[in-house]
Coordinates of all heavy atoms in Angstrom, one line a residue:
M18 N -47.5 12.5 47.5 CA -48.0 12.9 46.2 C -47.1 12.5 45.1 O -47.5 12.1 44.0 CB -48.4 14.4 46.2 CG -49.1 14.8 45.0 SD -50.7 14.1 45.0 CE -51.5 14.9 43.8
K19 N -45.8 12.8 45.4 CA -44.7 12.5 44.4 C -44.7 11.0 44.1 O -44.6 10.6 42.9 CB -43.4 12.9 44.9 CG -42.3 12.8 43.9 CD -41.0 13.4 44.4 CE -39.9 13.2 43.4 NZ -38.6 13.7 43.9
A20 N -44.9 10.1 45.1 CA -44.9 8.7 44.9 C -46.1 8.3 44.0 O -46.0 7.4 43.2 CB -45.0 7.9 46.2
V21 N -47.2 8.9 44.2 CA -48.4 8.6 43.4 C -48.2 9.0 42.0 O -48.5 8.2 41.0 CB -49.7 9.3 44.0 CG1 -50.8 9.2 43.0 CG2 -50.0 8.8 45.3
Y22 N -47.6 10.1 41.7 CA -47.3 10.6 40.4 C -46.3 9.6 39.7 O -46.5 9.2 38.5 CB -46.7 12.0 40.4 CG -46.2 12.5 39.1 CD1 -47.2 12.9 38.2 CD2 -44.9 12.5 38.7 CE1 -46.8 13.4 36.9 CE2 -44.5 13.0 37.5 CZ -45.4 13.4 36.6 OH -45.0 13.9 35.4
I23 N -45.3 9.2 40.4 CA -44.3 8.3 39.8 C -44.9 6.9 39.5 O -44.7 6.4 38.5 CB -43.1 8.1 40.8 CG1 -42.3 9.4 40.9 CG2 -42.2 6.9 40.4 CD1 -41.2 9.4 41.9
A24 N -45.8 6.5 40.4 CA -46.5 5.2 40.2 C -47.4 5.3 38.9 O -47.5 4.4 38.1 CB -47.3 4.8 41.4
M25 N -48.1 6.4 38.8 CA -49.0 6.6 37.6 C -48.2 6.7 36.3 O -48.6 6.1 35.3 CB -49.8 7.9 37.8 CG -50.9 7.8 38.8 SD -51.8 9.3 39.2 CE -52.3 9.9 37.6
M26 N -47.1 7.3 36.3 CA -46.2 7.4 35.1 C -45.6 6.1 34.8 O -45.6 5.7 33.6 CB -45.1 8.4 35.3 CG -45.6 9.9 35.5 SD -46.6 10.4 34.1 CE -45.3 10.5 32.8
A27 N -45.2 5.3 35.8 CA -44.7 3.9 35.5 C -45.8 3.1 34.9 O -45.6 2.3 34.0 CB -44.2 3.3 36.8
A28 N -47.0 3.2 35.5 CA -48.1 2.4 34.9 C -48.4 2.7 33.5 O -48.7 1.9 32.7 CB -49.4 2.5 35.8
A29 N -48.4 4.0 33.2 CA -48.6 4.5 31.8 C -47.6 3.9 30.9 O -47.9 3.5 29.8 CB -48.7 6.0 31.8
G30 N -46.3 3.9 31.4 CA -45.2 3.4 30.5 C -45.4 1.9 30.3 O -45.2 1.4 29.1
V31 N -45.9 1.2 31.2 CA -46.1 -0.3 31.0 C -47.2 -0.5 30.0 O -47.1 -1.3 29.1 CB -46.4 -1.0 32.4 CG1 -46.9 -2.4 32.2 CG2 -45.2 -1.0 33.3
V32 N -48.3 0.3 30.1 CA -49.4 0.1 29.2 C -49.0 0.5 27.8 O -49.2 -0.3 26.8 CB -50.6 1.0 29.6 CG1 -51.6 1.1 28.5 CG2 -51.2 0.5 30.9
M33 N -48.2 1.6 27.6 CA -47.7 2.0 26.3 C -46.7 0.9 25.8 O -46.8 0.6 24.6 CB -47.1 3.3 26.4 CG -48.1 4.4 26.6 SD -47.4 6.0 26.9 CE -46.7 6.4 25.3
A34 N -45.9 0.4 26.6 CA -44.9 -0.6 26.1 C -45.7 -1.9 25.7 O -45.4 -2.5 24.7 CB -43.9 -0.9 27.2
G35 N -46.7 -2.2 26.5 CA -47.5 -3.4 26.1 C -48.2 -3.2 24.8 O -48.3 -4.1 24.0
Q36 N -48.7 -2.0 24.5 CA -49.4 -1.7 23.3 C -48.4 -1.8 22.1 O -48.7 -2.3 21.1 CB -50.1 -0.3 23.3 CG -50.8 0.0 22.1 CD -52.0 -0.9 21.9 OE1 -52.7 -1.3 22.8 NE2 -52.3 -1.2 20.6
A37 N -47.2 -1.2 22.3 CA -46.2 -1.3 21.2 C -45.9 -2.7 20.9 O -45.7 -3.1 19.7 CB -45.0 -0.5 21.6
Q38 N -45.7 -3.5 21.9 CA -45.4 -4.9 21.7 C -46.6 -5.6 21.0 O -46.4 -6.5 20.1 CB -45.0 -5.6 23.0 CG -43.7 -5.2 23.5 CD -43.4 -5.7 24.9 OE1 -44.3 -6.3 25.6 NE2 -42.2 -5.5 25.4
A39 N -47.8 -5.3 21.4 CA -48.9 -5.9 20.8 C -49.0 -5.6 19.3 O -49.4 -6.4 18.5 CB -50.2 -5.5 21.5
D40 N -48.7 -4.3 18.9 CA -48.8 -3.9 17.6 C -47.7 -4.5 16.7 O -47.8 -4.8 15.6 CB -48.8 -2.4 17.4 CG -50.1 -1.8 18.1 OD1 -51.1 -2.6 18.1 OD2 -50.1 -0.7 18.5
E41 N -46.5 -4.7 17.4 CA -45.4 -5.4 16.7 C -45.9 -6.9 16.4 O -45.6 -7.5 15.4 CB -44.1 -5.4 17.5 CG -43.0 -6.1 16.7 CD -41.7 -6.0 17.4 OE1 -41.6 -5.4 18.5 OE2 -40.7 -6.5 16.9
A42 N -46.5 -7.5 17.4 CA -47.1 -8.8 17.3 C -48.1 -8.9 16.1 O -48.1 -9.8 15.4 CB -47.7 -9.3 18.6
L43 N -48.9 -7.8 16.0 CA -49.9 -7.8 14.9 C -49.2 -7.7 13.6 O -49.5 -8.4 12.6 CB -50.8 -6.6 15.1 CG -51.9 -6.4 14.0 CD1 -52.8 -7.6 13.9 CD2 -52.7 -5.1 14.3
A44 N -48.1 -6.9 13.5 CA -47.3 -6.8 12.3 C -46.7 -8.2 11.9 O -46.7 -8.6 10.7 CB -46.2 -5.8 12.4
K45 N -46.3 -8.9 12.9 CA -45.7 -10.2 12.6 C -46.8 -11.2 12.2 O -46.7 -12.0 11.3 CB -45.0 -10.8 13.9 CG -43.7 -10.1 14.1 CD -43.0 -10.5 15.4 CE -41.7 -9.8 15.6 NZ -41.1 -10.1 16.9
A46 N -48.0 -11.1 12.9 CA -49.1 -12.0 12.6 C -49.6 -11.8 11.2 O -50.1 -12.7 10.5 CB -50.2 -11.8 13.6
K47 N -49.6 -10.5 10.7 CA -50.1 -10.2 9.4 C -49.0 -10.3 8.3 O -49.2 -9.9 7.2 CB -50.7 -8.8 9.4 CG -52.0 -8.7 10.3 CD -53.1 -9.6 9.8 CE -54.3 -9.5 10.6 NZ -55.4 -10.3 10.1
N48 N -47.9 -10.8 8.6 CA -46.8 -11.0 7.7 C -46.1 -9.8 7.2 O -45.5 -9.8 6.2 CB -47.1 -12.0 6.6 CG -47.4 -13.4 7.1 OD1 -46.7 -13.9 7.9 ND2 -48.4 -14.0 6.5
C49 N -46.3 -8.6 7.9 CA -45.7 -7.4 7.4 C -44.2 -7.5 7.5 O -43.5 -6.9 6.7 CB -46.2 -6.2 8.3 SG -48.0 -6.0 8.4
M50 N -43.7 -8.3 8.5 CA -42.3 -8.4 8.8 C -41.6 -9.2 7.7 O -40.4 -9.3 7.7 CB -42.0 -8.9 10.2 CG -42.7 -8.0 11.3 SD -42.2 -6.3 11.3 CE -41.0 -6.3 12.6
S51 N -42.3 -9.8 6.8 CA -41.7 -10.6 5.7 C -41.0 -9.6 4.8 O -40.0 -10.0 4.1 CB -42.8 -11.4 5.0 OG -43.4 -12.4 5.8
C52 N -41.6 -8.4 4.6 CA -41.0 -7.5 3.7 C -40.4 -6.2 4.4 O -39.8 -5.4 3.7 CB -42.1 -7.0 2.7 SG -42.7 -8.4 1.6
H53 N -40.8 -6.0 5.6 CA -40.3 -4.8 6.3 C -39.6 -5.2 7.6 O -39.9 -6.2 8.2 CB -41.5 -3.9 6.7 CG -42.3 -3.4 5.6 ND1 -41.9 -2.3 4.9 CD2 -43.4 -3.8 5.0 CE1 -42.8 -2.1 3.9 NE2 -43.7 -3.0 3.9
A54 N -38.7 -4.3 8.1 CA -38.1 -4.4 9.4 C -38.2 -3.1 10.0 O -38.4 -2.1 9.4 CB -36.7 -4.9 9.3
V55 N -38.0 -3.0 11.3 CA -38.1 -1.7 12.0 C -36.9 -0.8 11.6 O -37.1 0.3 11.4 CB -38.1 -1.9 13.6 CG1 -37.9 -0.6 14.3 CG2 -39.3 -2.6 14.0
D56 N -35.7 -1.4 11.5 CA -34.5 -0.6 11.4 C -33.7 -0.8 10.1 O -32.6 -0.2 10.0 CB -33.6 -0.8 12.6 CG -33.2 -2.2 12.7 OD1 -33.7 -3.1 12.0 OD2 -32.3 -2.5 13.6
K57 N -34.2 -1.6 9.2 CA -33.4 -1.7 7.9 C -34.4 -2.0 6.8 O -35.4 -2.6 6.9 CB -32.4 -2.8 8.0 CG -32.9 -4.2 8.3 CD -31.9 -5.2 8.5 CE -32.5 -6.6 8.9 NZ -31.6 -7.5 9.4
K58 N -34.0 -1.7 5.6 CA -34.7 -1.9 4.4 C -34.6 -3.4 4.0 O -33.6 -4.0 4.0 CB -34.2 -1.1 3.2 CG -35.0 -1.3 1.9 CD -34.4 -0.5 0.8 CE -35.0 -0.7 -0.5 NZ -36.0 -1.7 -0.8
L59 N -35.8 -4.0 3.8 CA -35.8 -5.4 3.2 C -36.4 -5.2 1.8 O -35.8 -4.5 1.0 CB -36.6 -6.3 4.1 CG -36.1 -6.5 5.5 CD1 -37.1 -7.4 6.3 CD2 -34.7 -7.1 5.5
V60 N -37.5 -5.8 1.5 CA -38.2 -5.6 0.2 C -38.8 -4.2 0.3 O -38.7 -3.5 -0.7 CB -39.2 -6.7 0.0 CG1 -40.0 -6.4 -1.3 CG2 -38.6 -8.1 0.0
G61 N -39.4 -3.9 1.4 CA -39.9 -2.5 1.6 C -39.1 -1.7 2.5 O -38.1 -2.2 3.1
P62 N -39.5 -0.5 2.7 CA -38.7 0.4 3.6 C -38.7 0.0 5.0 O -39.6 -0.7 5.5 CB -39.3 1.8 3.4 CG -40.7 1.5 3.0 CD -40.7 0.2 2.2
A63 N -37.7 0.4 5.8 CA -37.6 0.3 7.2 C -38.7 1.1 7.8 O -39.0 2.2 7.4 CB -36.3 0.7 7.8
Y64 N -39.4 0.6 8.9 CA -40.4 1.4 9.5 C -39.9 2.7 10.1 O -40.7 3.7 10.1 CB -41.1 0.5 10.6 CG -42.0 -0.6 10.0 CD1 -42.0 -1.8 10.6 CD2 -42.8 -0.4 8.9 CE1 -42.8 -2.9 10.1 CE2 -43.6 -1.4 8.4 CZ -43.6 -2.6 9.0 OH -44.3 -3.6 8.5
K65 N -38.7 2.7 10.6 CA -38.2 4.0 11.1 C -38.0 5.0 10.0 O -38.2 6.2 10.2 CB -36.9 3.8 11.9 CG -35.7 3.4 11.0 CD -34.4 3.4 11.8 CE -33.3 3.2 10.8 NZ -32.0 3.5 11.4
D66 N -37.8 4.6 8.8 CA -37.7 5.5 7.6 C -39.0 6.0 7.2 O -39.2 7.2 6.8 CB -37.0 4.8 6.4 CG -35.5 4.5 6.7 OD1 -34.9 5.1 7.6 OD2 -35.0 3.6 6.0
V67 N -40.0 5.1 7.3 CA -41.4 5.5 7.0 C -41.8 6.6 8.1 O -42.4 7.6 7.7 CB -42.4 4.3 7.0 CG1 -43.8 4.8 6.9 CG2 -42.0 3.3 6.0
A68 N -41.6 6.3 9.3 CA -41.9 7.3 10.4 C -41.2 8.6 10.2 O -41.8 9.7 10.3 CB -41.6 6.7 11.8
A69 N -40.0 8.6 9.8 CA -39.2 9.8 9.5 C -39.8 10.6 8.4 O -39.9 11.8 8.4 CB -37.7 9.5 9.3
K70 N -40.2 9.9 7.3 CA -40.7 10.6 6.1 C -42.0 11.3 6.4 O -42.3 12.4 5.9 CB -41.0 9.5 5.0 CG -41.5 10.1 3.8 CD -41.7 9.1 2.7 CE -42.3 9.7 1.4 NZ -41.3 9.7 0.4
Y71 N -42.9 10.7 7.3 CA -44.2 11.2 7.6 C -44.2 12.0 8.9 O -45.3 12.5 9.3 CB -45.2 10.1 7.6 CG -45.5 9.6 6.2 CD1 -44.9 8.4 5.8 CD2 -46.3 10.2 5.3 CE1 -45.1 7.9 4.6 CE2 -46.6 9.7 4.1 CZ -46.0 8.5 3.7 OH -46.2 8.0 2.4
K72 N -43.1 12.3 9.5 CA -43.1 13.0 10.8 C -43.7 14.4 10.6 O -43.4 15.1 9.6 CB -41.6 13.2 11.3 CG -41.5 13.8 12.6 CD -40.1 13.8 13.1 CE -40.0 14.4 14.5 NZ -38.7 14.4 15.0
G73 N -44.6 14.7 11.5 CA -45.2 16.0 11.4 C -46.4 16.1 10.5 O -47.1 17.1 10.4
D74 N -46.7 15.0 9.8 CA -47.9 15.0 8.9 C -49.1 14.5 9.6 O -49.2 13.4 10.0 CB -47.6 14.1 7.7 CG -48.7 14.0 6.7 OD1 -49.8 14.4 7.0 OD2 -48.4 13.5 5.6
G75 N -50.0 15.4 9.9 CA -51.2 15.1 10.6 C -52.1 14.0 10.0 O -52.9 13.4 10.7
K76 N -52.0 13.8 8.7 CA -52.8 12.9 8.0 C -52.1 11.5 7.7 O -52.6 10.7 7.1 CB -53.2 13.5 6.6 CG -54.1 14.7 6.7 CD -54.4 15.3 5.4 CE -55.2 16.5 5.5 NZ -55.5 17.1 4.3
A77 N -50.9 11.4 8.3 CA -50.0 10.2 8.0 C -50.7 8.9 8.4 O -50.6 8.0 7.7 CB -48.7 10.4 8.6
A78 N -51.3 8.9 9.6 CA -51.9 7.6 10.1 C -53.0 7.2 9.1 O -53.0 6.0 8.8 CB -52.4 7.8 11.5
A79 N -53.8 8.1 8.7 CA -54.9 7.7 7.8 C -54.4 7.3 6.4 O -54.8 6.3 5.8 CB -55.9 8.9 7.7
T80 N -53.4 8.0 6.0 CA -52.8 7.7 4.7 C -52.1 6.3 4.7 O -52.3 5.5 3.8 CB -51.7 8.7 4.3 OG1 -52.3 10.0 4.2 CG2 -51.0 8.4 3.0
L81 N -51.3 6.0 5.7 CA -50.7 4.7 5.8 C -51.7 3.6 6.1 O -51.5 2.5 5.5 CB -49.6 4.7 6.9 CG -48.4 5.6 6.7 CD1 -47.5 5.5 7.9 CD2 -47.7 5.2 5.4
A82 N -52.7 3.8 6.9 CA -53.7 2.8 7.1 C -54.4 2.4 5.7 O -54.6 1.2 5.4 CB -54.8 3.3 8.1
A83 N -54.7 3.4 4.9 CA -55.3 3.2 3.6 C -54.3 2.4 2.7 O -54.7 1.4 2.0 CB -55.7 4.5 2.9
K84 N -53.0 2.7 2.8 CA -52.0 2.0 1.9 C -51.8 0.6 2.4 O -51.6 -0.3 1.6 CB -50.7 2.8 1.9 CG -50.7 4.0 1.1 CD -49.4 4.7 1.1 CE -49.5 5.9 0.2 NZ -48.2 6.5 -0.1
I85 N -51.9 0.4 3.7 CA -51.8 -1.0 4.3 C -52.9 -1.8 3.8 O -52.6 -3.0 3.3 CB -51.7 -0.9 5.8 CG1 -50.4 -0.3 6.3 CG2 -52.0 -2.3 6.4 CD1 -50.4 0.0 7.8
K86 N -54.1 -1.3 3.7 CA -55.2 -2.1 3.3 C -55.2 -2.3 1.7 O -55.4 -3.4 1.3 CB -56.5 -1.4 3.7 CG -56.9 -1.6 5.1 CD -58.4 -1.3 5.4 CE -59.3 -2.2 4.7 NZ -59.9 -3.2 5.4
A87 N -55.0 -1.2 1.0 CA -55.1 -1.3 -0.5 C -53.8 -1.6 -1.2 O -53.9 -2.0 -2.4 CB -55.6 0.1 -1.0
G88 N -52.7 -1.5 -0.5 CA -51.4 -1.7 -1.2 C -51.0 -0.3 -1.8 O -51.7 0.7 -1.7
G89 N -49.9 -0.4 -2.5 CA -49.4 0.9 -3.1 C -48.1 0.6 -3.9 O -47.5 -0.5 -3.9
K90 N -47.7 1.6 -4.7 CA -46.6 1.5 -5.5 C -46.0 2.9 -5.8 O -46.8 3.9 -6.0 CB -46.9 0.8 -6.8 CG -45.8 0.7 -7.8 CD -46.2 0.1 -9.1 CE -45.0 0.1 -10.0 NZ -45.4 -0.3 -11.4
G91 N -44.7 3.0 -5.9 CA -44.1 4.3 -6.3 C -43.6 5.2 -5.3 O -42.7 6.0 -5.6
V92 N -44.0 5.1 -4.1 CA -43.5 6.1 -3.0 C -42.1 5.7 -2.6 O -41.3 6.5 -2.4 CB -44.5 6.1 -1.8 CG1 -44.0 6.9 -0.7 CG2 -45.9 6.6 -2.3
W93 N -41.9 4.4 -2.5 CA -40.6 3.9 -2.0 C -39.8 3.1 -3.1 O -38.9 2.3 -2.8 CB -40.8 3.0 -0.8 CG -41.3 3.7 0.3 CD1 -42.7 3.9 0.7 CD2 -40.6 4.5 1.3 NE1 -42.8 4.7 1.8 CE2 -41.5 5.1 2.2 CE3 -39.2 4.7 1.5 CZ2 -41.1 5.9 3.3 CZ3 -38.9 5.5 2.5 CH2 -39.8 6.1 3.4
G94 N -40.2 3.2 -4.4 CA -39.6 2.5 -5.4 C -40.6 1.8 -6.3 O -41.8 2.0 -6.1
E95 N -40.1 1.0 -7.2 CA -41.0 0.3 -8.1 C -41.7 -1.0 -7.6 O -42.6 -1.5 -8.2 CB -40.3 0.0 -9.4 CG -40.0 1.3 -10.2 CD -41.2 2.1 -10.5 OE1 -42.2 1.5 -11.1 OE2 -41.2 3.3 -10.3
I96 N -41.1 -1.6 -6.6 CA -41.7 -2.8 -6.0 C -43.0 -2.5 -5.3 O -43.0 -1.7 -4.4 CB -40.7 -3.5 -5.1 CG1 -39.5 -3.9 -5.8 CG2 -41.4 -4.8 -4.5 CD1 -38.4 -4.5 -5.0
P97 N -44.1 -3.0 -5.8 CA -45.4 -2.7 -5.2 C -45.6 -3.4 -3.9 O -45.1 -4.5 -3.6 CB -46.4 -3.2 -6.2 CG -45.8 -4.3 -6.9 CD -44.3 -3.9 -7.0
M98 N -46.4 -2.8 -3.0 CA -46.8 -3.5 -1.8 C -48.2 -4.0 -2.1 O -49.1 -3.2 -2.4 CB -46.9 -2.5 -0.6 CG -47.3 -3.2 0.7 SD -47.2 -2.2 2.2 CE -48.7 -1.2 2.0
P99 N -48.5 -5.3 -1.9 CA -49.8 -5.8 -2.2 C -50.8 -5.4 -1.2 O -50.4 -5.0 0.0 CB -49.6 -7.3 -2.2 CG -48.4 -7.5 -1.3 CD -47.5 -6.3 -1.5
P100 N -52.1 -5.4 -1.5 CA -53.1 -5.2 -0.5 C -53.0 -6.2 0.6 O -52.5 -7.3 0.4 CB -54.4 -5.4 -1.2 CG -54.1 -5.5 -2.7 CD -52.6 -5.8 -2.8
N101 N -53.3 -5.8 1.8 CA -53.2 -6.7 3.0 C -54.6 -7.0 3.6 O -55.5 -6.2 3.6 CB -52.3 -6.1 4.1 CG -50.9 -6.0 3.6 OD1 -50.2 -6.9 3.6 ND2 -50.5 -4.8 3.1
N102 N -54.8 -8.3 4.0 CA -56.0 -8.7 4.6 C -56.1 -8.3 6.1 O -55.8 -9.1 6.9 CB -56.1 -10.2 4.4 CG -57.5 -10.7 4.9 OD1 -58.4 -10.0 4.9 ND2 -57.6 -12.0 5.2
V103 N -56.4 -7.0 6.3 CA -56.5 -6.5 7.6 C -57.8 -5.7 7.7 O -58.3 -5.2 6.7 CB -55.3 -5.6 8.0 CG1 -54.0 -6.3 8.0 CG2 -55.2 -4.4 7.0
S104 N -58.3 -5.6 8.9 CA -59.5 -4.8 9.2 C -59.1 -3.3 9.2 O -57.9 -3.0 9.3 CB -60.2 -5.2 10.5 OG -59.3 -4.8 11.6
D105 N -60.1 -2.5 9.2 CA -59.8 -1.0 9.3 C -59.1 -0.7 10.6 O -58.1 0.0 10.7 CB -61.1 -0.2 9.2 CG -61.7 -0.2 7.8 OD1 -61.0 -0.5 6.9 OD2 -62.9 0.2 7.7
D106 N -59.6 -1.4 11.7 CA -59.0 -1.2 13.0 C -57.5 -1.7 13.1 O -56.6 -1.0 13.6 CB -59.8 -1.9 14.1 CG -59.3 -1.6 15.5 OD1 -59.1 -0.4 15.8 OD2 -59.0 -2.5 16.3
E107 N -57.3 -2.8 12.5 CA -55.9 -3.4 12.4 C -55.0 -2.5 11.6 O -53.8 -2.2 12.0 CB -55.9 -4.8 11.8 CG -56.5 -5.8 12.8 CD -56.7 -7.2 12.1 OE1 -56.9 -7.2 10.9 OE2 -56.7 -8.2 12.8
A108 N -55.5 -2.0 10.5 CA -54.7 -1.1 9.6 C -54.3 0.2 10.4 O -53.2 0.7 10.3 CB -55.5 -0.7 8.4
K109 N -55.3 0.7 11.2 CA -55.0 2.0 12.0 C -54.0 1.7 13.1 O -53.1 2.5 13.3 CB -56.3 2.5 12.6 CG -57.2 3.1 11.6 CD -58.6 3.5 12.3 CE -59.6 3.9 11.3 NZ -60.9 4.1 11.9
K110 N -54.1 0.5 13.7 CA -53.1 0.1 14.7 C -51.7 0.0 14.2 O -50.7 0.4 14.7 CB -53.5 -1.2 15.4 CG -54.7 -1.0 16.4 CD -55.0 -2.3 17.0 CE -56.2 -2.2 17.9 NZ -56.7 -3.5 18.5
L111 N -51.7 -0.7 13.0 CA -50.4 -0.9 12.4 C -49.8 0.4 11.9 O -48.6 0.7 12.1 CB -50.5 -1.8 11.2 CG -50.8 -3.3 11.5 CD1 -51.2 -4.1 10.3 CD2 -49.5 -3.9 12.1
A112 N -50.6 1.3 11.3 CA -50.1 2.6 10.9 C -49.5 3.4 12.1 O -48.5 4.0 12.0 CB -51.2 3.4 10.2
T113 N -50.3 3.4 13.2 CA -49.9 4.2 14.4 C -48.6 3.6 14.9 O -47.7 4.4 15.3 CB -51.0 4.1 15.4 OG1 -52.2 4.7 14.9 CG2 -50.6 4.9 16.7
W114 N -48.5 2.3 14.9 CA -47.2 1.7 15.4 C -46.1 2.0 14.5 O -45.0 2.4 15.0 CB -47.4 0.2 15.5 CG -46.2 -0.5 15.9 CD1 -45.6 -0.6 17.1 CD2 -45.3 -1.3 15.1 NE1 -44.4 -1.3 17.1 CE2 -44.3 -1.8 15.9 CE3 -45.4 -1.7 13.7 CZ2 -43.2 -2.6 15.4 CZ3 -44.4 -2.5 13.2 CH2 -43.3 -2.9 14.1
V115 N -46.2 1.9 13.2 CA -45.2 2.2 12.3 C -44.7 3.7 12.5 O -43.5 4.0 12.6 CB -45.6 2.0 10.8 CG1 -44.6 2.7 9.8 CG2 -45.8 0.6 10.5
L116 N -45.6 4.6 12.6 CA -45.3 6.0 12.8 C -44.6 6.3 14.1 O -44.0 7.3 14.3 CB -46.5 6.9 12.7 CG -47.1 6.9 11.2 CD1 -48.5 7.6 11.2 CD2 -46.1 7.6 10.3
S117 N -44.7 5.4 15.1 CA -44.1 5.6 16.4 C -42.6 5.1 16.4 O -41.9 5.3 17.4 CB -44.8 4.8 17.5 OG -44.6 3.4 17.4
Q118 N -42.1 4.5 15.3 CA -40.8 3.9 15.3 C -39.8 5.1 15.2 O -40.0 6.1 14.5 CB -40.6 2.9 14.2 CG -41.6 1.8 14.2 CD -41.5 1.1 15.6 OE1 -40.5 0.6 16.0 NE2 -42.7 1.0 16.2
K119 N -38.6 4.9 15.8 CA -37.6 5.9 15.8 C -36.2 5.3 15.4 O -35.9 4.2 15.6 CB -37.4 6.6 17.1 CG -38.7 7.3 17.5 CD -38.5 8.2 18.7 CE -39.6 9.1 19.1 NZ -40.9 8.9 18.9

């Protein structure tokens, strides 16, 4: 039974790692990484800083998905983030991925 449990946990880890990589690939494909990085500020904030700011906020994923689609200004400084050409599903995936960064 212990071996089955370990195998299930390992499989779940592989699936989750694959999803994280897929969402990073989506961020690269949508040119998010031109202005953002996971661990350092570029033009926009580091994704780990965004995740830290919204930690514990149950509405964060929806808020960030809306900002990804519509753009925004003022939360992280005066440089605006332009609207992005992403679907609602892509915006949700990106927001969830950003919030998972540590």
